[in-house]
Amino acid sequence: MRRNLLSAAIALAFAGLAALPVGAAPGAPKTAALATTQLPRGVQPLHYDIAMTPDAKSASFSAQVAIDLEVMAPTSSITLHAADLKFASATLSARTGPGGGTAQNAQIAVDEAAQTATFRFAKPLARGRYKLALDYSGSIGSQAVGLFSLDYDTPAGKRRALFTQFENSDARRMIPSWDEPAFKASFALRVTVPSGEMAVSNMPVKSSTPLPDGRVSVRFADTPNMSTYLLFFALGDFERATANVDGTELGVVTRRGSLPEAAFALESSQAILREYNDYFGVRYPLPKLDNIAGPGRSQFFGAMENWGAIFTFEYALLLDPAISTQRDKQEVFATAAHEMAHQWFGDLVTMRWWDDLWLNEGFASWMESRMTARLHPEWNTHLETVGARDGAMRRDALATTHPVVQHVATVEQASQAFDEITYQKGEAVIRMLEAYVGEDAWRRGVRSYMREHAYGNTASSDLWRQVERAAAKPVTAIARDFTLQPGVPLIRVMEPVCKGGSMTVALAQGEFSRDQPARKPLSWRVPVIAGIAGGSATARTLVAGGKGSITLPGCGAAVVNAGQSGYYRTLYAPGAFARLAGGFATLAPIDQIGTLADTWALGMAGLQPASNFLDLAQATPASADPQVWARIAGGFDSLHAMYGEDKAGRARLDAYALARLAPVMAQVGWNAQAGEPTSRAILRANLIATLSHLGDQATVNEARRRYAAMASDPAAVPGPLRKTILAVVAEHADAATWDAMRRAARAEKSPMIKDTLYALLASSDDRALAERALALALTDEPGATNGAMMISMVSRNHPELAFDFALANIRAVNERVDATSRSRYVPGLAGNATTPAMAGKVKTYAEAHIAPEARRDAETAIAGINDRIQVRRERLPEIDAWLAQYAK
Ligand SMILES: [Zn+2]
């Protein structure tokens, strides 16, 4: 699964808002958290034969399932997962042994809180094989959970398409099942559907039989053994295009009329599949692999790796030249690469239980980055790995963090496991370990892991065993330090000693913590790579037992974590930092970005002056890599937000930031130049957004001018800049402009553009317009999946307003958030808040609405607020002093 990044869709249009995004969602019913997800182990499902008839219009379905199962220990009852299903009958027949063929009816007991159904039998069941036949019905939701519908506009009127989303624990909403990753079984799916609509599932259609009533019975080929959460079904007025790669039929499936917009995804998927067939050493095992686009969005996810039938929201799969940006294009590629990596890591080999979710997500995130850098080196995305690591460290430095491998007991906890630690820290740790053992050894380890565990389930230790064997190097101990312990190592760099033409640097390991600075540091074995500014030679060492040292060939400014593959913060002694700042322009771009990230974080934590970040910004030449400037612009934006109501302080900062960014913007320009690097196109969008947040009147005026000219001169708002320009206009809109945008949103027929316009309506910095956006979010106008997104958008500029509004309308808000996201949505609305009162409100809300074991996201939101309050009080004075000195 790829997480829902609001950024994925409209990202750079809103880039830079100080938001350190903290997960957040609406009040879960407390009962959901009680759903213990581990079933008794005495009964094992082998095969599910499902016949289902969905009724899209009435939002319900009826179904029968016949489950072949094995009773391994005598029992008089069978318990499986079921949620919101109504049972009409349950019959069990023995397949083998005495009594073979005779059937007995079961008494049915449903436990809503535990999400289970128990079938009790008058005659106890001996060991052996049985068939359990169930007749039942269920409902079709309007949010992306279980079997759900997405409605959209077409020139011919509204249409409805159906899809499924089962990860982490929602197959039980469509199929009574052993809904845990370790219970692998095969699935045969038959559906009765209207003729003229396309039905898609994991496997190809085996037969399609017209029925006398005009409907069609579609039967899909049996799946191989797999986990329930990977099953998929979709139905709608779709089109499909295909290509053949190494004997696999690759497909994209879209709403009718949108197929050309999926051309890039299909083309990319071909190249990616070829690479993966090679990398994993095990060919993609199913006959086909579709990628199905659905309109709208979820608060939980952007795409899902159902085996053979990836589901992706349109914003991460389709490219519409009228509105799609370079960043969107990269997201489409990265999303496909992520979900396709899961076809092996996750689908073919699956974690035994959610404790090891990171095996799926860390690996797919790492592979997504690796594949993008490999197939599109011109995008320079390897520089983005620093940002991903930084996102993980921000979260990992708070006391509310958790180890990469963590204990998961309930459905809610499993949902909360889809976070920065599982994804980005998992990715960063893999990158570090790969750099430690070498690319070839790592790949050999992955290949034998795939061979050894195909169609099976694993824990982290199974991966380490194979990598260690392939590398012939003790890597397991390091891997355990970073996956079984929480937190971020801090490597202190002492003043280097230059002697005889080489430089020795002593290193000490501590822990980087934002809210527990006095705690005794944990201990890690940390692989360290270092170099000298301006040079290409590096040296390696392993810091263990808290100490280490490294000798570099030559003397100069030491760069620790050269290449940025290490998962740790680097704190230089003052002299070493001064030399590094002096040589900053000579560093490789990735080390410039890494140093900026560490300097920012260490400064905000009070471990060095916060103004060191400004020293580096000052030392950065206008010709630096666009992504270096993007990081600096992001820093300015965060400082701007931090000043809050301190108008004078904010004005000093803005003046400096504008002076620093203006020459860069002048270089980049508003108009794309032929053959320019893609990172410049992204920086353009980024800078315009930042300058707009900083209140740069020239930028706002130019955006308004272009927006006004759009009707008569389409070139004024080129497609790749449309979101950016609209975002500036929306941010600074007056009531008349807001009304005009709303009329445009209403009239828009393209679901992707329509969604963007509703997001923009919620992004105004004007409080009265933000209130109007909130009211609009709870009407039917924006569409069922846009309401929650609009409230989140409002919370970026107006956290308290959005939070209070959600609480006052909690029932209506909950209806618009998928059940999987409920324990994080509302706390997340406080993600940008900066007052103790808001911390208190989140706490009160969590205690009233969220089960104690599912409060981690709420606690993290509170920790984030307290952190921002402290940073404002303690760190801004250093920034002030630096700016005052600079102004002289
Ligand atoms: Zn994933």
Side-chain angles (χ1 to χ4, degrees), residues 2 53 96 144 249 336 351 452 466 499 586 684 785 802 883:
R2 205 146 180 275
T53 306
T96 54
E249 186 177 85
M351 76 262 142
E452 192 95 348
Q466 299 297 340
K499 205 170 154 191
T586 70
R684 174 176 302 117
T785 63
L883 290 169

Side-chain angles (χ1 to χ4, degrees), residues 1-2 305 338-339 342 361 364 423:
M1 178 185 299
R2 205 146 180 275
E305 67 267 20
H338 180 105
E339 302 308 336
H342 276 312
E361 299 304 349
Y423 281 73

Side-chain angles (χ1 to χ4, degrees), residues 342-405:
H342 276 312
Q343 304 298 308
W344 285 262
F345 246 96
D347 298 4
L348 181 60
V349 181
T350 313
M351 76 262 142
R352 194 166 299 136
W353 181 242
W354 303 107
D355 291 18
D356 280 301
L357 175 64
W358 88 280
L359 275 176
N360 276 10
E361 299 304 349
F363 197 92
S365 302
W366 169 77
M367 199 49 152
E368 153 196 341
S369 303
R370 183 184 187 280
M371 197 50 44
T372 310
R374 187 175 165 83
L375 293 182
H376 286 286
E378 77 283 6
W379 291 347
N380 246 335
T381 49
H382 74 287
L383 298 181
E384 291 175 11
T385 57
V386 179
R389 182 189 67 188
D390 213 40
M393 287 183 175
R394 278 196 300 247
R395 173 76 187 263
D396 207 14
L398 295 171
T400 57
T401 188
H402 60 85
V404 167
V405 178

Side-chain angles (χ1 to χ4, degrees), residues 20 44 46 69 160 186 265 330 364 478 517 522 557 665 760 768 774 778 801 831 843 860 867 885 888:
L20 309 186
Q44 169 87 38
L46 304 169
L69 53 87
R160 172 166 290 182
S186 55
Q330 294 180 195
I478 303 171
L522 294 172
M665 185 62 209
L760 291 169
L774 289 173
L778 295 186
L801 181 68
K843 186 162 184 284
T860 303
D867 188 56
Q885 185 65 30
K888 271 184 201 162

Side-chain angles (χ1 to χ4, degrees), residues 1-6 8-9 144 148 150 163-168 229-230 232 265 290-307 309-318 331-343 347 357 360-361 364-365 368 418 423 818:
M1 178 185 299
R2 205 146 180 275
R3 299 174 68 213
N4 161 50
L5 306 172
L6 190 52
F148 65 97
L150 291 171
F163 306 90
T164 59
Q165 169 59 28
F166 291 165
E167 193 177 20
N168 43 307
Y229 78 91
L230 295 169
F232 180 77
D290 279 314
N291 197 340
I292 298 103
R297 64 181 62 251
S298 150
Q299 295 301 304
F300 185 49
F301 72 106
M304 172 65 204
E305 67 267 20
N306 315 294
W307 212 1
I310 295 166
F311 171 84
T312 308
F313 281 106
E314 289 182 353
Y315 66 78
L317 196 156
L318 303 184
E331 284 290 326
V332 166
F333 185 93
T335 302
H338 180 105
E339 302 308 336
M340 288 173 73
H342 276 312
Q343 304 298 308
D347 298 4
L357 175 64
N360 276 10
E361 299 304 349
S365 302
E368 153 196 341
F418 292 81
Y423 281 73
D818 37 273

Side-chain angles (χ1 to χ4, degrees), residues 78-134:
I78 293 177
T79 298
L80 45 65
H81 286 118
D84 298 332
L85 299 179
K86 284 198 180 63
F87 291 94
S89 73
T91 315
L92 186 86
S93 48
R95 302 294 304 276
T96 54
T102 58
Q104 58 169 325
N105 291 330
Q107 266 192 327
I108 308 168
V110 168
D111 183 337
E112 278 180 37
Q115 300 185 341
T116 58
T118 297
F119 305 95
R120 284 183 216 289
F121 305 98
K123 245 171 55 192
L125 312 177
R127 270 195 293 267
R129 292 204 170 179
Y130 296 82
K131 191 184 276 287
L132 177 65
L134 306 172

Side-chain angles (χ1 to χ4, degrees), residues 700 703-710 725-746 757-758 760-766 769 772 776:
V700 176
R704 283 178 175 155
R705 185 191 70 74
R706 286 170 175 262
Y707 178 68
M710 191 163 64
I725 289 170
L726 291 180
V728 177
V729 172
E731 183 182 12
H732 303 281
D734 56 16
T737 308
W738 195 90
D739 285 334
M741 272 196 166
R742 181 176 171 192
R743 280 194 300 276
R746 258 197 204 135
L757 291 172
Y758 281 106
L760 291 169
L761 284 169
S763 68
S764 170
D765 60 7
D766 180 85
L769 294 178
R772 290 180 65 186
L776 184 58

